[in-house]
Each structure stands twice: as C-alpha cells, then as structure tokens.
Amino acid sequence: MKEVNLKINGNNLSIMVPDSTKGKMELIEQPSGITEIKVNTDFQISIEEGDGDIALVKSDIAGNAVFKLQRYLKDEPTFLFWESKNTDLPGPRFHFYLITKIGTVSYIIKDIDNGDVYNEKVVQTMIDAAKTLKAKEKTKANS
C-alpha cells in the first residue's frame, strides 16, 4: 500500500491505496465533487463530502429487484458491507458504504458500482483502505 494525497472541497486528505504492483493508479476528480480512486479493476472507490444516510442505502439494497440482498457481513451505524446476487449471473457481488468523520467534516466512501464484480476479499481491501482516510497536515514553506 502507498499513501496518496488528495484534496476534497479544499480539505487536504490522505489515504492508503494498493501500490503500483497492482496496476496503475488513477485519481479522478469529478465535477460533482466526487473523487474516484482506481487501481486496475480490483480497487475502485469513490469519496465525497457528505453526511451519508445508512437507512436510505439499506432501503435501496432491500428494494433492488435485480441484485437481491444475500446477507450483511457488517451492519453498523456508519458502515455497511453486503453480499448480493442476481440469479441470472454467476457468483455473488460484494459492496460497501462507509461514513467517516474527520474533524467536523463527514465523508462517504464506497465501491464504484460500474458493473465490475468484486469478490469479498477485493472489497475487504477497499474497506481497509477507506478506513485509512485522514486529514493531511498542510506543509509549511521553509523561510
């Protein structure tokens, strides 16, 4: 893993992501304010400033007619990790949604759901990385 520095809405942050042996890292700042971090197809997370809503996410998961909830691996007030399955497709899919607070600012970190199938181990790597998000001290210029 390696530390990556990023800025979200003027806040200097850092996060640990898989190193270059896993693939080329892409850091994409979307116009909507969402920052995406991708390393190959096995590590794809988005980070955005916001309070998040676990109840709404759980409602969306329960109401998904295509990918049926199989089980929650973690169901906590600020963190969901779940398995879903489409009976027409092989294998389960795993996803996560995490709300973390740094100082007075809350961030939502989740896997990017773009059709790639993430297994449990891959998503656990994303979760481990998401939990490393922290404020980064501003460097002072030497005078």
Side-chain angles (χ1 to χ4, degrees), residues 75-86:
D75 181 353
E76 300 172 359
T78 60
F79 174 50
L80 295 174
F81 181 17
W82 71 96
E83 174 186 357
S84 61
K85 177 127 179 56
N86 178 329

Side-chain angles (χ1 to χ4, degrees), residues 1-6 12-20 25 27 37 129 132-137:
M1 300 283 265
K2 70 173 186 174
E3 183 177 31
V4 172
N5 297 321
L6 54 141
N12 294 311
L13 305 168
S14 72
I15 190 169
M16 300 299 289
V17 300
D19 61 35
S20 60
M25 186 201 69
L27 184 66
I37 303 172
T132 69
L133 185 70
K134 65 181 181 180
K136 183 78 174 176
E137 294 292 324

Side-chain angles (χ1 to χ4, degrees), residues 4 11 26 30 36 39 42 45 48 55 66 98 113 115 121 129 135:
V4 172
N11 297 311
E26 294 179 74
Q30 299 291 355
E36 296 178 348
V39 180
D42 285 343
I45 63 171
E48 65 183 294
V66 177
L98 173 71
D113 189 5
K121 182 180 176 187

Side-chain angles (χ1 to χ4, degrees), residues 60-106:
D60 288 347
I61 293 166
N64 190 326
V66 177
F67 291 96
K68 300 283 187 186
L69 174 66
Q70 299 299 298
R71 66 185 169 124
Y72 283 105
L73 288 85
K74 293 284 183 182
D75 181 353
E76 300 172 359
T78 60
F79 174 50
L80 295 174
F81 181 17
W82 71 96
E83 174 186 357
S84 61
K85 177 127 179 56
N86 178 329
T87 55
D88 295 332
L89 298 173
R93 293 174 179 236
F94 292 85
H95 298 281
F96 82 97
Y97 183 93
L98 173 71
I99 303 166
T100 189
K101 194 164 195 162
I102 300 172
T104 60
V105 182
S106 292

